[in-house]
Amino acid sequence: MSAANVTHDSPTRGPAKPMPYVISGILLAAAIILPLLVPLYAKAGPHLFGFPFFYWYQMMWVPICAILIGASYWLVTAEDKRRRAAVNQAVRGKHDAGGEAK
């Protein structure tokens, strides 16, 4: 008998918790929507290192978006690992309860 005993009908992930996906969606929405709200930053002042606000505000969003996307990726990946571990633990529990050899 195979160790995993996985068929095509066997689930590969356990039940999802919605909160990591909601937080990830909010982070991604902020990274997309806030830079698109041009009326918020369509002005010349204040200047930073000689650059008008319009330009340095957009450049400020480059690292911020990278951080937000990275945090979103980390949240979704951690949730996926948790869900896969839940299925693996359930499969191991069935093998242990059934008395099958590992």
Side-chain angles (χ1 to χ4, degrees):
M1 235 191 204
S2 69
N5 211 10
V6 177
T7 65
H8 291 290
D9 295 334
S10 298
T12 58
R13 291 174 183 86
K17 292 182 181 177
M19 194 52 64
Y21 297 106
V22 170
I23 293 171
S24 178
I26 291 170
L27 292 176
L28 292 174
I32 293 169
I33 294 171
L34 290 176
L36 291 175
L37 298 175
V38 178
L40 291 177
Y41 60 92
K43 53 187 175 183
H47 288 73
L48 181 68
F49 304 118
F51 289 102
F53 181 73
F54 182 79
Y55 292 112
W56 68 260
Y57 179 82
Q58 292 177 61
M59 290 299 111
M60 176 187 73
W61 273 101
V62 172
I64 291 173
C65 286
I67 291 168
L68 293 175
I69 292 168
S72 176
Y73 174 79
W74 179 79
L75 283 169
V76 171
T77 303
E79 175 62 9
D80 186 57
K81 286 179 184 177
R82 184 200 64 78
R83 291 174 65 194
R84 288 179 187 268
V87 169
N88 289 338
Q89 185 177 9
V91 168
R92 269 189 248 118
K94 284 182 183 178
H95 285 291
D96 291 344
E100 295 180 14
K102 291 184 181 180

